[in-house]
Short mmCIF file of all heavy atoms in Angstrom, two decimals:
data_model
loop_
_atom_site.label_atom_id
_atom_site.label_comp_id
_atom_site.label_asym_id
_atom_site.label_seq_id
_atom_site.Cartn_x
_atom_site.Cartn_y
_atom_site.Cartn_z
N PRO M 94 -7.52 3.33 -17.32
CA PRO M 94 -8.19 2.04 -17.64
C PRO M 94 -8.34 1.85 -19.15
O PRO M 94 -8.85 2.72 -19.86
CB PRO M 94 -9.55 2.15 -16.95
CG PRO M 94 -9.31 3.16 -15.82
CD PRO M 94 -8.31 4.13 -16.38
N GLY M 95 -7.87 0.72 -19.64
CA GLY M 95 -7.95 0.43 -21.05
C GLY M 95 -6.86 1.05 -21.86
O GLY M 95 -6.81 0.86 -23.10
N SER M 96 -5.95 1.81 -21.23
CA SER M 96 -4.87 2.45 -21.94
C SER M 96 -3.56 2.36 -21.16
O SER M 96 -3.22 3.29 -20.44
CB SER M 96 -5.21 3.92 -22.22
OG SER M 96 -4.17 4.54 -22.94
N PRO M 97 -2.87 1.22 -21.26
CA PRO M 97 -1.60 1.08 -20.51
C PRO M 97 -0.57 2.10 -20.94
O PRO M 97 -0.57 2.51 -22.13
CB PRO M 97 -1.11 -0.33 -20.88
CG PRO M 97 -2.34 -1.05 -21.40
CD PRO M 97 -3.20 0.03 -22.03
N CYS M 98 0.24 2.57 -20.04
CA CYS M 98 1.31 3.51 -20.39
C CYS M 98 2.60 2.71 -20.51
O CYS M 98 3.10 2.17 -19.51
CB CYS M 98 1.44 4.57 -19.31
SG CYS M 98 2.79 5.76 -19.63
N ALA M 99 3.16 2.60 -21.70
CA ALA M 99 4.37 1.83 -21.94
C ALA M 99 5.51 2.78 -22.33
O ALA M 99 5.37 3.58 -23.25
CB ALA M 99 4.13 0.81 -23.05
N VAL M 100 6.63 2.66 -21.62
CA VAL M 100 7.76 3.54 -21.85
C VAL M 100 8.90 2.72 -22.43
O VAL M 100 9.53 1.90 -21.72
CB VAL M 100 8.22 4.23 -20.57
CG1 VAL M 100 9.39 5.17 -20.86
CG2 VAL M 100 7.10 5.00 -19.92
N PRO M 101 9.24 2.88 -23.75
CA PRO M 101 10.35 2.15 -24.34
C PRO M 101 11.66 2.54 -23.67
O PRO M 101 11.86 3.63 -23.13
CB PRO M 101 10.33 2.55 -25.82
CG PRO M 101 8.97 3.13 -26.03
CD PRO M 101 8.54 3.74 -24.70
N GLU M 102 12.63 1.63 -23.76
CA GLU M 102 13.94 1.88 -23.11
C GLU M 102 14.64 3.11 -23.61
O GLU M 102 15.23 3.82 -22.83
CB GLU M 102 14.84 0.61 -23.32
CG GLU M 102 16.12 0.69 -22.51
CD GLU M 102 16.88 -0.63 -22.52
OE1 GLU M 102 16.40 -1.55 -23.20
OE2 GLU M 102 17.91 -0.73 -21.84
N ASP M 103 14.51 3.39 -24.93
CA ASP M 103 15.23 4.55 -25.47
C ASP M 103 14.54 5.89 -25.14
O ASP M 103 15.05 6.96 -25.46
CB ASP M 103 15.38 4.41 -26.97
CG ASP M 103 14.06 4.24 -27.70
OD1 ASP M 103 13.05 3.93 -27.02
OD2 ASP M 103 14.01 4.43 -28.95
N LEU M 104 13.33 5.83 -24.53
CA LEU M 104 12.63 7.04 -24.17
C LEU M 104 12.48 7.26 -22.67
O LEU M 104 11.77 8.14 -22.24
CB LEU M 104 11.23 7.05 -24.80
CG LEU M 104 11.17 7.07 -26.34
CD1 LEU M 104 9.70 7.02 -26.80
CD2 LEU M 104 11.90 8.31 -26.88
N VAL M 105 13.16 6.40 -21.89
CA VAL M 105 13.03 6.50 -20.40
C VAL M 105 13.47 7.84 -19.88
O VAL M 105 12.79 8.48 -19.10
CB VAL M 105 13.85 5.34 -19.74
CG1 VAL M 105 13.94 5.59 -18.24
CG2 VAL M 105 13.19 4.02 -20.00
N VAL M 106 14.66 8.33 -20.31
CA VAL M 106 15.15 9.59 -19.81
C VAL M 106 14.24 10.74 -20.16
O VAL M 106 13.96 11.64 -19.35
CB VAL M 106 16.58 9.84 -20.36
CG1 VAL M 106 17.09 11.22 -19.91
CG2 VAL M 106 17.55 8.77 -19.83
N ASP M 107 13.71 10.75 -21.39
CA ASP M 107 12.77 11.77 -21.80
C ASP M 107 11.49 11.72 -20.97
O ASP M 107 10.92 12.77 -20.60
CB ASP M 107 12.42 11.63 -23.30
CG ASP M 107 13.61 11.90 -24.17
OD1 ASP M 107 14.52 12.61 -23.73
OD2 ASP M 107 13.63 11.39 -25.31
N PHE M 108 10.99 10.52 -20.67
CA PHE M 108 9.80 10.34 -19.89
C PHE M 108 9.98 10.86 -18.47
O PHE M 108 9.16 11.60 -17.92
CB PHE M 108 9.41 8.89 -19.86
CG PHE M 108 8.26 8.56 -18.88
CD1 PHE M 108 6.96 8.88 -19.16
CD2 PHE M 108 8.55 7.90 -17.68
CE1 PHE M 108 5.94 8.59 -18.27
CE2 PHE M 108 7.53 7.63 -16.76
CZ PHE M 108 6.22 7.96 -17.07
N LEU M 109 11.15 10.50 -17.90
CA LEU M 109 11.45 10.96 -16.53
C LEU M 109 11.68 12.45 -16.41
O LEU M 109 11.33 13.08 -15.41
CB LEU M 109 12.70 10.22 -16.02
CG LEU M 109 12.65 8.72 -15.86
CD1 LEU M 109 13.98 8.14 -15.41
CD2 LEU M 109 11.55 8.31 -14.84
N ALA M 110 12.18 13.06 -17.45
CA ALA M 110 12.57 14.46 -17.40
C ALA M 110 11.43 15.37 -17.03
O ALA M 110 11.64 16.41 -16.41
CB ALA M 110 13.20 14.89 -18.74
N GLU M 111 10.22 15.02 -17.46
CA GLU M 111 9.09 15.91 -17.22
C GLU M 111 8.42 15.71 -15.85
O GLU M 111 7.56 16.50 -15.45
CB GLU M 111 8.01 15.67 -18.30
CG GLU M 111 8.49 15.87 -19.73
CD GLU M 111 8.96 17.28 -19.96
OE1 GLU M 111 8.31 18.21 -19.40
OE2 GLU M 111 9.95 17.49 -20.67
N LEU M 112 8.83 14.68 -15.12
CA LEU M 112 8.21 14.39 -13.84
C LEU M 112 8.77 15.27 -12.72
O LEU M 112 9.96 15.57 -12.73
CB LEU M 112 8.40 12.90 -13.48
CG LEU M 112 7.81 11.88 -14.43
CD1 LEU M 112 8.16 10.46 -13.95
CD2 LEU M 112 6.31 12.06 -14.54
N PRO M 113 7.92 15.67 -11.74
CA PRO M 113 8.42 16.43 -10.60
C PRO M 113 9.32 15.54 -9.74
O PRO M 113 9.17 14.29 -9.73
CB PRO M 113 7.15 16.85 -9.85
CG PRO M 113 6.16 15.81 -10.25
CD PRO M 113 6.46 15.45 -11.68
N VAL M 114 10.24 16.15 -8.99
CA VAL M 114 11.16 15.37 -8.17
C VAL M 114 10.44 14.53 -7.14
O VAL M 114 10.87 13.43 -6.79
CB VAL M 114 12.18 16.28 -7.47
CG1 VAL M 114 13.12 16.93 -8.53
CG2 VAL M 114 11.51 17.35 -6.67
N GLY M 115 9.29 15.01 -6.67
CA GLY M 115 8.52 14.28 -5.66
C GLY M 115 7.91 12.99 -6.16
O GLY M 115 7.47 12.13 -5.35
N ALA M 116 7.88 12.77 -7.49
CA ALA M 116 7.30 11.56 -8.03
C ALA M 116 8.21 10.36 -7.88
O ALA M 116 7.76 9.23 -7.94
CB ALA M 116 6.99 11.76 -9.53
N LEU M 117 9.51 10.59 -7.64
CA LEU M 117 10.46 9.52 -7.53
C LEU M 117 10.31 8.82 -6.18
O LEU M 117 10.38 9.48 -5.12
CB LEU M 117 11.89 10.07 -7.69
CG LEU M 117 12.97 9.08 -8.03
CD1 LEU M 117 12.72 8.48 -9.42
CD2 LEU M 117 14.34 9.79 -8.02
#
Side-chain angles (χ1 to χ4, degrees):
S96 181
C98 178
V100 182
E102 188 169 3
D103 57 344
L104 296 179
V105 168
V106 175
D107 294 335
F108 171 75
L109 296 176
E111 303 299 323
L112 298 178
V114 292
L117 199 64

